[in-house]
Coordinates of all heavy atoms in Angstrom, one line a residue:
M1 N 0.8 -1.2 0.1 CA 0.0 0.0 0.0 C 0.9 1.3 0.0 O 1.9 1.3 0.7 CB -0.9 0.1 1.3 CG -1.9 -1.1 1.4 SD -3.0 -1.1 0.0 CE -4.5 -0.4 0.8
E2 N 0.4 2.2 -0.7 CA 1.2 3.4 -0.9 C 0.4 4.5 0.0 O -0.8 4.5 -0.1 CB 1.3 4.1 -2.2 CG 2.0 5.3 -2.4 CD 1.8 6.0 -3.8 OE1 1.5 5.2 -4.7 OE2 2.0 7.1 -3.9
I3 N 1.1 5.3 0.8 CA 0.5 6.3 1.7 C 0.8 7.6 1.3 O 2.0 8.0 1.2 CB 0.9 5.9 3.3 CG1 0.4 4.6 3.7 CG2 0.3 7.1 4.1 CD1 0.9 4.2 5.0
R4 N -0.1 8.5 1.1 CA 0.1 9.8 0.7 C -0.4 10.8 1.7 O -1.6 10.7 2.0 CB -0.5 10.1 -0.7 CG 0.2 9.4 -1.9 CD 0.0 9.9 -3.1 NE -1.5 9.6 -3.4 CZ -2.1 9.6 -4.7 NH1 -1.4 10.1 -5.7 NH2 -3.4 9.3 -4.9
Y5 N 0.4 11.7 2.2 CA 0.0 12.7 3.2 C -0.4 14.1 2.5 O 0.3 14.5 1.5 CB 1.1 13.0 4.2 CG 1.4 11.8 4.9 CD1 2.3 10.8 4.6 CD2 0.8 11.7 6.2 CE1 2.6 9.7 5.5 CE2 1.0 10.6 7.1 CZ 2.0 9.7 6.6 OH 2.2 8.5 7.4
S6 N -1.5 14.6 2.8 CA -1.8 16.1 2.5 C -0.9 17.0 3.1 O -0.3 16.7 4.2 CB -3.3 16.3 2.6 OG -3.5 16.4 4.1
K7 N -0.9 18.2 2.6 CA -0.1 19.2 3.2 C -0.5 19.5 4.7 O 0.3 19.6 5.6 CB -0.1 20.6 2.5 CG 0.8 20.4 1.2 CD 0.9 21.8 0.5 CE 1.7 21.7 -0.7 NZ 2.0 22.9 -1.3
P8 N -1.8 19.6 5.1 CA -2.2 19.9 6.4 C -1.8 18.7 7.4 O -1.4 18.9 8.4 CB -3.7 20.0 6.3 CG -4.0 20.4 5.0 CD -3.0 19.7 4.1
A9 N -1.9 17.5 6.9 CA -1.5 16.3 7.6 C -0.1 16.3 7.9 O 0.4 16.0 9.0 CB -2.0 15.0 7.0
A10 N 0.8 16.6 6.9 CA 2.2 16.5 7.0 C 2.6 17.7 8.0 O 3.6 17.5 8.9 CB 2.9 16.7 5.7
K11 N 2.0 18.8 8.0 CA 2.3 19.9 8.8 C 2.0 19.6 10.2 O 2.8 19.9 11.1 CB 1.5 21.2 8.4 CG 1.9 22.4 9.2 CD 1.0 23.6 8.6 CE 1.4 24.9 9.5 NZ 0.5 26.0 8.9
F12 N 0.9 19.0 10.5 CA 0.4 18.5 11.8 C 1.5 17.6 12.4 O 1.9 17.7 13.5 CB -1.0 17.9 11.9 CG -1.3 17.6 13.2 CD1 -2.0 18.5 14.0 CD2 -1.2 16.2 13.7 CE1 -2.5 18.1 15.3 CE2 -1.5 15.9 15.0 CZ -2.3 16.8 15.8
L13 N 1.9 16.6 11.5 CA 3.0 15.7 12.1 C 4.2 16.4 12.6 O 4.8 16.0 13.5 CB 3.1 14.5 11.1 CG 2.1 13.4 11.1 CD1 2.4 12.5 9.9 CD2 2.1 12.7 12.4
R14 N 4.7 17.3 11.7 CA 5.9 18.0 11.9 C 5.9 18.6 13.3 O 6.9 18.9 13.9 CB 6.2 18.9 10.8 CG 6.8 18.3 9.6 CD 7.4 19.3 8.6 NE 6.5 20.4 8.3 CZ 5.7 20.4 7.1 NH1 5.7 19.3 6.4 NH2 4.9 21.3 6.8
K15 N 4.7 19.3 13.6 CA 4.6 20.0 14.8 C 4.6 19.2 16.1 O 4.8 19.8 17.2 CB 3.3 20.8 14.8 CG 3.3 22.0 13.8 CD 1.9 22.7 14.0 CE 1.9 24.0 13.2 NZ 0.5 24.7 13.4
Q16 N 4.4 18.0 16.0 CA 4.2 17.0 17.2 C 5.5 16.6 17.7 O 6.6 16.6 17.0 CB 3.4 15.8 16.9 CG 2.0 16.0 16.4 CD 1.3 17.0 17.2 OE1 1.1 16.8 18.4 NE2 0.7 18.1 16.6
D17 N 5.6 16.3 19.1 CA 6.8 15.8 19.6 C 7.2 14.4 19.0 O 6.3 13.7 18.4 CB 6.8 15.7 21.2 CG 5.6 14.9 21.7 OD1 5.9 13.6 21.8 OD2 4.5 15.3 21.8
K18 N 8.4 13.9 19.2 CA 8.8 12.7 18.6 C 7.9 11.6 19.0 O 7.6 10.6 18.1 CB 10.2 12.5 19.0 CG 10.9 11.4 18.2 CD 12.3 11.2 18.5 CE 13.0 10.0 17.7 NZ 14.4 9.9 18.0
T19 N 7.6 11.3 20.2 CA 6.9 10.1 20.6 C 5.4 10.1 20.1 O 4.9 9.1 19.6 CB 6.8 9.9 22.1 OG1 6.1 11.1 22.7 CG2 8.1 9.7 22.8
T20 N 4.8 11.3 20.0 CA 3.4 11.4 19.5 C 3.5 11.1 18.0 O 2.6 10.3 17.4 CB 2.8 12.7 19.8 OG1 2.9 13.1 21.0 CG2 1.4 12.9 19.1
R21 N 4.4 11.7 17.3 CA 4.6 11.5 15.8 C 4.8 10.0 15.5 O 4.1 9.5 14.5 CB 5.8 12.3 15.3 CG 6.1 12.4 13.9 CD 7.2 13.1 13.4 NE 7.3 14.4 14.0 CZ 8.6 14.7 14.7 NH1 9.6 13.9 14.6 NH2 8.7 15.9 15.3
Q22 N 5.7 9.4 16.3 CA 6.0 8.0 15.9 C 4.8 7.2 16.3 O 4.4 6.2 15.4 CB 7.1 7.5 16.9 CG 7.7 6.2 16.5 CD 8.3 6.3 15.1 OE1 8.8 7.2 14.7 NE2 8.1 5.2 14.4
R23 N 3.8 7.4 17.3 CA 2.7 6.7 17.5 C 1.7 6.8 16.4 O 1.1 5.8 16.0 CB 2.0 7.3 18.8 CG 2.0 6.3 20.0 CD 1.5 6.8 21.2 NE -0.1 7.0 21.0 CZ -0.7 7.8 21.6 NH1 -0.2 8.8 22.3 NH2 -2.0 7.8 21.4
I24 N 1.6 8.0 15.9 CA 0.6 8.2 14.8 C 1.1 7.5 13.5 O 0.3 6.9 12.8 CB 0.4 9.7 14.6 CG1 -0.4 10.3 15.9 CG2 -0.4 10.1 13.3 CD1 -0.5 11.8 15.8
I25 N 2.4 7.7 13.3 CA 2.9 7.0 11.9 C 2.8 5.6 12.1 O 2.4 4.9 11.1 CB 4.3 7.5 11.7 CG1 4.4 9.0 11.3 CG2 5.0 6.7 10.7 CD1 5.7 9.6 11.3
E26 N 3.1 5.0 13.2 CA 3.0 3.5 13.3 C 1.5 3.0 13.1 O 1.3 2.0 12.5 CB 3.5 3.0 14.7 CG 5.0 3.0 14.8 CD 5.5 2.7 16.2 OE1 4.6 2.3 17.0 OE2 6.6 2.8 16.5
A27 N 0.6 3.8 13.6 CA -0.9 3.4 13.5 C -1.3 3.5 12.0 O -1.9 2.7 11.4 CB -1.7 4.3 14.3
I28 N -0.8 4.6 11.2 CA -1.0 4.8 9.9 C -0.5 3.7 8.9 O -1.1 3.2 8.1 CB -0.5 6.2 9.4 CG1 -1.4 7.3 10.0 CG2 -0.5 6.3 7.9 CD1 -0.9 8.7 9.8
E29 N 0.7 3.2 9.3 CA 1.3 2.2 8.5 C 0.6 0.8 8.6 O 0.7 -0.1 7.7 CB 2.8 2.0 9.1 CG 3.7 3.2 8.6 CD 5.1 3.1 9.1 OE1 5.5 2.2 9.9 OE2 6.0 3.9 8.7
K30 N -0.2 0.6 9.7 CA -1.0 -0.6 9.8 C -2.3 -0.6 8.9 O -3.0 -1.6 8.9 CB -1.3 -0.8 11.3 CG -0.1 -1.1 12.1 CD -0.4 -1.4 13.6 CE 0.9 -1.6 14.4 NZ 0.5 -1.6 15.8
L31 N -2.7 0.7 8.4 CA -3.9 0.8 7.7 C -3.9 -0.1 6.5 O -2.8 -0.4 5.9 CB -4.0 2.2 7.3 CG -4.5 3.2 8.3 CD1 -4.5 4.6 7.8 CD2 -5.8 2.9 8.9
P32 N -5.0 -0.6 6.0 CA -6.3 -0.4 6.4 C -6.8 -1.6 7.2 O -8.0 -1.8 7.4 CB -7.1 -0.3 5.0 CG -6.3 -1.2 4.2 CD -4.9 -1.1 4.5
F33 N -5.9 -2.3 7.7 CA -6.3 -3.8 8.3 C -6.5 -3.7 9.8 O -7.1 -4.5 10.3 CB -5.3 -4.7 7.9 CG -5.1 -4.9 6.5 CD1 -3.9 -4.5 5.9 CD2 -6.1 -5.2 5.6 CE1 -3.7 -4.6 4.6 CE2 -5.9 -5.4 4.2 CZ -4.8 -5.0 3.7
E34 N -5.8 -2.7 10.5 CA -5.8 -2.8 11.9 C -6.0 -1.4 12.5 O -5.6 -0.3 11.9 CB -4.3 -3.3 12.3 CG -4.3 -3.7 13.8 CD -2.9 -4.2 14.0 OE1 -2.3 -5.0 13.2 OE2 -2.4 -3.9 15.1
G35 N -6.6 -1.3 13.7 CA -6.9 -0.1 14.3 C -8.3 0.2 14.6 O -9.2 -0.5 14.1
D36 N -8.6 1.3 15.3 CA -9.9 1.6 15.6 C -10.5 2.6 14.4 O -10.3 3.8 14.4 CB -10.1 2.4 16.9 CG -11.5 2.7 17.3 OD1 -12.4 2.4 16.6 OD2 -11.7 3.4 18.3
I37 N -11.1 1.9 13.4 CA -11.5 2.6 12.0 C -12.9 2.6 12.0 O -13.7 1.6 12.2 CB -10.8 1.9 10.9 CG1 -9.4 1.9 10.9 CG2 -11.4 2.5 9.6 CD1 -8.7 0.9 10.0
K38 N -13.5 3.8 11.6 CA -14.9 3.9 11.3 C -15.0 4.7 10.1 O -14.4 5.6 9.8 CB -15.7 4.7 12.5 CG -15.8 3.8 13.8 CD -16.7 4.4 14.8 CE -16.9 3.4 16.0 NZ -17.7 4.1 17.0
K39 N -16.2 4.4 9.4 CA -16.7 5.2 8.2 C -17.2 6.5 8.7 O -18.0 6.6 9.6 CB -17.7 4.4 7.4 CG -18.1 5.1 6.2 CD -18.0 4.3 5.0 CE -18.5 5.0 3.7 NZ -18.0 6.2 3.4
L40 N -16.7 7.6 7.9 CA -17.4 8.9 8.2 C -18.9 9.1 7.7 O -19.1 8.5 6.7 CB -16.5 10.0 7.6 CG -15.0 10.2 8.2 CD1 -14.3 11.2 7.4 CD2 -15.1 10.6 9.6
Q41 N -19.6 9.7 8.4 CA -20.9 9.9 8.0 C -21.2 11.2 7.2 O -20.6 12.3 7.6 CB -21.9 10.0 9.2 CG -22.0 8.7 10.0 CD -22.9 8.8 11.2 OE1 -23.4 9.9 11.6 NE2 -23.2 7.6 11.8
G42 N -21.8 11.2 6.1 CA -22.1 12.3 5.3 C -21.1 12.7 4.2 O -21.2 13.5 3.4
V43 N -19.9 12.1 4.4 CA -18.7 12.4 3.5 C -18.0 11.1 3.3 O -18.2 10.2 3.9 CB -17.7 13.4 4.0 CG1 -18.4 14.9 4.1 CG2 -17.2 13.0 5.4
D44 N -17.3 11.1 2.2 CA -16.4 9.9 1.8 C -15.2 9.9 2.7 O -14.7 10.9 3.1 CB -16.0 9.9 0.3 CG -17.2 9.8 -0.6 OD1 -18.1 9.2 -0.2 OD2 -17.0 10.1 -1.8
G45 N -14.9 8.7 3.1 CA -13.6 8.6 3.9 C -13.9 7.8 5.2 O -15.0 7.4 5.6
Y46 N -12.8 7.7 6.0 CA -12.7 7.0 7.2 C -12.0 7.8 8.2 O -11.1 8.7 7.9 CB -12.0 5.6 7.0 CG -12.7 4.8 6.0 CD1 -12.4 4.8 4.7 CD2 -13.7 3.9 6.3 CE1 -13.0 4.0 3.7 CE2 -14.4 3.0 5.4 CZ -14.1 3.2 4.0 OH -14.7 2.3 3.1
R47 N -12.1 7.3 9.5 CA -11.3 8.0 10.5 C -10.6 6.9 11.4 O -11.2 5.8 11.6 CB -12.1 8.9 11.4 CG -13.0 8.1 12.5 CD -12.4 8.1 13.8 NE -13.4 7.7 14.8 CZ -13.2 6.5 15.4 NH1 -12.2 5.7 15.0 NH2 -14.0 6.0 16.3
L48 N -9.4 7.1 11.7 CA -8.6 6.3 12.5 C -8.4 6.9 13.9 O -8.0 8.1 13.9 CB -7.2 5.9 11.9 CG -6.2 5.2 12.8 CD1 -6.5 3.8 13.1 CD2 -4.8 5.3 12.0
R49 N -8.6 6.2 14.9 CA -8.4 6.8 16.3 C -7.1 6.4 16.8 O -6.8 5.2 16.9 CB -9.5 6.3 17.3 CG -9.5 7.0 18.6 CD -10.6 6.6 19.4 NE -10.5 5.2 19.8 CZ -10.0 4.7 20.9 NH1 -9.4 5.4 21.6 NH2 -10.0 3.4 21.1
V50 N -6.3 7.4 17.3 CA -5.0 7.1 17.9 C -4.9 8.0 19.2 O -4.6 9.1 19.1 CB -3.8 7.5 16.9 CG1 -2.5 7.1 17.6 CG2 -4.0 6.9 15.6
G51 N -5.4 7.4 20.3 CA -5.5 8.1 21.5 C -6.4 9.4 21.4 O -7.6 9.1 20.9
N52 N -6.0 10.6 21.6 CA -6.8 11.7 21.5 C -6.7 12.3 20.1 O -7.3 13.4 19.9 CB -6.3 12.9 22.5 CG -6.9 12.4 23.9 OD1 -8.0 11.8 24.0 ND2 -6.2 12.9 24.9
Y53 N -6.1 11.7 19.1 CA -5.9 12.3 17.8 C -6.8 11.4 16.8 O -7.1 10.2 17.1 CB -4.4 12.1 17.5 CG -3.6 13.0 18.3 CD1 -2.8 12.3 19.3 CD2 -3.4 14.3 18.1 CE1 -2.0 13.1 20.1 CE2 -2.7 15.1 19.0 CZ -2.0 14.4 20.0 OH -1.1 15.2 20.8
R54 N -7.2 12.1 15.8 CA -7.9 11.4 14.7 C -7.2 11.6 13.4 O -6.7 12.7 13.0 CB -9.3 12.0 14.7 CG -10.1 11.9 15.9 CD -10.4 10.4 16.4 NE -11.2 10.2 17.5 CZ -10.8 10.1 18.7 NH1 -9.5 10.0 19.0 NH2 -11.5 10.0 19.7
V55 N -7.2 10.5 12.6 CA -6.6 10.6 11.2 C -7.7 10.3 10.3 O -8.4 9.3 10.3 CB -5.6 9.5 11.1 CG1 -5.0 9.5 9.7 CG2 -4.3 9.7 12.1
L56 N -7.9 11.4 9.4 CA -8.9 11.2 8.5 C -8.3 10.7 7.2 O -7.3 11.3 6.7 CB -9.7 12.5 8.2 CG -10.4 13.1 9.4 CD1 -11.1 14.4 9.0 CD2 -11.3 12.2 10.1
F57 N -8.8 9.6 6.6 CA -8.2 9.1 5.3 C -9.2 8.5 4.4 O -10.3 8.2 4.7 CB -7.1 8.0 5.7 CG -7.7 6.7 6.3 CD1 -7.9 5.6 5.6 CD2 -8.0 6.6 7.6 CE1 -8.5 4.4 6.0 CE2 -8.4 5.5 8.2 CZ -8.7 4.4 7.4
D58 N -8.8 8.2 3.2 CA -9.6 7.6 2.2 C -8.7 6.6 1.4 O -7.6 6.8 1.3 CB -10.2 8.7 1.2 CG -11.4 8.1 0.5 OD1 -11.9 7.0 0.8 OD2 -11.9 8.8 -0.5
V59 N -9.4 5.4 1.0 CA -8.6 4.4 0.4 C -9.1 4.3 -1.1 O -10.3 4.2 -1.3 CB -8.9 3.0 1.1 CG1 -8.1 1.9 0.4 CG2 -8.5 3.2 2.4
T60 N -8.1 4.4 -2.0 CA -8.5 4.3 -3.4 C -7.7 3.3 -4.0 O -6.4 3.5 -4.3 CB -8.3 5.7 -4.2 OG1 -8.4 6.7 -3.3 CG2 -9.2 5.8 -5.3
G61 N -8.1 2.1 -4.2 CA -7.2 1.0 -4.8 C -6.2 0.6 -3.9 O -6.4 0.2 -2.6
I62 N -4.9 0.8 -4.1 CA -3.8 0.5 -3.3 C -3.1 1.8 -2.7 O -2.1 1.8 -2.0 CB -2.6 -0.3 -4.0 CG1 -2.1 0.6 -5.2 CG2 -3.2 -1.6 -4.5 CD1 -0.9 -0.1 -5.8
I63 N -3.8 2.9 -2.8 CA -3.4 4.2 -2.3 C -4.2 4.6 -1.1 O -5.5 4.7 -1.2 CB -3.3 5.3 -3.4 CG1 -2.5 4.9 -4.6 CG2 -2.9 6.6 -2.9 CD1 -2.5 5.8 -5.8
I64 N -3.5 5.0 0.0 CA -4.2 5.4 1.1 C -3.8 7.0 1.2 O -2.7 7.3 1.3 CB -3.7 4.8 2.4 CG1 -4.1 3.4 2.4 CG2 -4.4 5.5 3.6 CD1 -3.6 2.6 3.5
D65 N -4.9 7.8 1.1 CA -4.7 9.3 1.1 C -5.0 9.8 2.6 O -6.2 9.5 3.0 CB -5.7 10.1 0.1 CG -5.2 9.8 -1.3 OD1 -4.0 10.0 -1.6 OD2 -6.1 9.6 -2.2
I66 N -3.9 10.4 3.2 CA -4.2 10.8 4.6 C -4.7 12.3 4.4 O -3.9 13.2 3.8 CB -2.9 10.9 5.4 CG1 -2.3 9.4 5.4 CG2 -3.1 11.3 6.8 CD1 -3.3 8.3 6.1
I67 N -5.9 12.5 4.7 CA -6.6 13.8 4.4 C -6.1 14.9 5.4 O -5.8 15.9 5.0 CB -8.1 13.7 4.3 CG1 -8.5 12.8 3.2 CG2 -8.8 15.1 4.1 CD1 -9.9 12.2 3.2
D68 N -6.2 14.5 6.7 CA -6.0 15.4 7.8 C -5.7 14.6 9.0 O -6.3 13.5 9.2 CB -7.1 16.4 7.9 CG -6.6 17.7 8.5 OD1 -5.5 17.8 8.9 OD2 -7.5 18.6 8.7
I69 N -5.1 15.2 9.9 CA -4.7 14.7 11.4 C -5.0 15.8 12.3 O -4.6 17.0 12.0 CB -3.3 14.1 11.4 CG1 -3.0 13.2 10.3 CG2 -3.0 13.6 12.7 CD1 -1.6 12.8 10.3
G70 N -5.6 15.5 13.4 CA -5.9 16.6 14.3 C -6.3 16.0 15.7 O -6.5 14.9 15.9
N71 N -6.6 17.0 16.6 CA -7.0 16.6 17.9 C -8.5 16.2 17.8 O -9.3 16.6 17.0 CB -6.9 17.7 18.9 CG -5.5 18.1 19.2 OD1 -4.7 17.2 19.3 ND2 -5.1 19.4 19.3
R72 N -8.9 15.3 18.8 CA -10.3 14.8 18.8 C -11.4 15.7 18.6 O -12.2 15.6 17.8 CB -10.5 14.0 20.1 CG -11.7 13.3 20.2 CD -11.7 12.5 21.5 NE -11.4 13.3 22.7 CZ -12.4 13.9 23.5 NH1 -13.6 13.7 23.2 NH2 -12.1 14.6 24.6
G73 N -11.4 16.9 19.3 CA -12.6 17.7 19.2 C -12.5 18.7 18.0 O -13.5 19.3 17.7
Q74 N -11.3 18.9 17.5 CA -11.2 19.9 16.4 C -11.2 19.4 15.0 O -11.7 20.1 14.1 CB -9.9 20.8 16.5 CG -9.8 21.4 17.9 CD -10.8 22.4 18.1 OE1 -11.1 23.1 17.2 NE2 -11.3 22.5 19.3
I75 N -11.0 18.2 14.8 CA -10.8 17.6 13.4 C -12.0 17.5 12.6 O -11.9 17.8 11.3 CB -10.0 16.1 13.5 CG1 -9.5 15.8 12.1 CG2 -11.0 15.2 14.1 CD1 -8.4 16.6 11.6
Y76 N -13.1 17.4 13.2 CA -14.3 17.2 12.4 C -15.0 18.5 12.0 O -15.8 18.6 11.1 CB -15.4 16.4 13.1 CG -14.9 15.0 13.5 CD1 -14.6 14.6 14.8 CD2 -14.6 14.0 12.5 CE1 -14.1 13.4 15.2 CE2 -14.2 12.8 12.9 CZ -13.9 12.4 14.2 OH -13.4 11.2 14.6
K77 N -14.5 19.5 12.5 CA -15.1 20.9 12.2 C -14.9 21.3 10.7 O -15.6 22.0 10.2 CB -14.6 22.0 13.1 CG -15.2 21.8 14.5 CD -14.7 22.7 15.5 CE -15.4 22.4 16.8 NZ -14.9 23.2 18.0
G78 N -13.7 20.9 10.1 CA -13.4 21.2 8.8 C -14.0 20.3 7.7 O -14.0 20.5 6.5
V79 N -14.6 19.2 8.1 CA -15.2 18.2 7.2 C -16.6 18.6 6.9 O -17.4 19.1 7.5 CB -15.2 16.8 7.8 CG1 -15.9 15.8 7.0 CG2 -13.8 16.3 8.2

């Protein structure tokens, strides 16, 4: 599987401390087979829960597009 990060997702990861960044990246690398994944309602895509963070992504064939990453309470406001 190929994983592609959007600019906002990559920027969020760069801002995080090393341990948080590593936890999120490890969870993303296990997609789409493992983790707390749910389909988003009203829009295309899925969300992955990593502690208090949410990763919004979409799967197209063998490509996983990471749309956005953010804190639990703020991430859904832009969707």
Side-chain angles (χ1 to χ4, degrees):
M1 296 298 260
E2 179 187 342
I3 299 173
R4 291 193 290 196
Y5 292 87
S6 68
K7 283 187 179 186
K11 183 178 179 182
F12 182 86
L13 278 177
R14 280 194 304 269
K15 286 182 173 182
Q16 302 309 305
D17 60 85
K18 188 176 182 179
T19 56
T20 303
R21 184 181 322 127
Q22 195 60 36
R23 249 180 67 212
I24 293 172
I25 290 173
E26 285 176 8
I28 289 172
E29 288 174 351
K30 294 177 184 176
L31 287 175
F33 307 111
E34 197 175 316
D36 185 357
I37 300 169
K38 287 191 178 176
K39 177 126 178 54
L40 293 175
Q41 293 182 350
V43 292
D44 290 339
Y46 301 88
R47 75 102 174 110
L48 168 67
R49 184 175 67 88
V50 184
N52 283 334
Y53 300 100
R54 301 297 183 263
V55 178
L56 303 182
F57 69 97
D58 201 7
V59 179
T60 332
I62 61 167
I63 299 171
I64 298 174
D65 289 315
I66 305 300
I67 300 164
D68 205 358
I69 305 171
N71 292 323
R72 178 175 61 93
Q74 303 295 319
I75 192 68
Y76 300 111
K77 293 182 179 173
V79 175

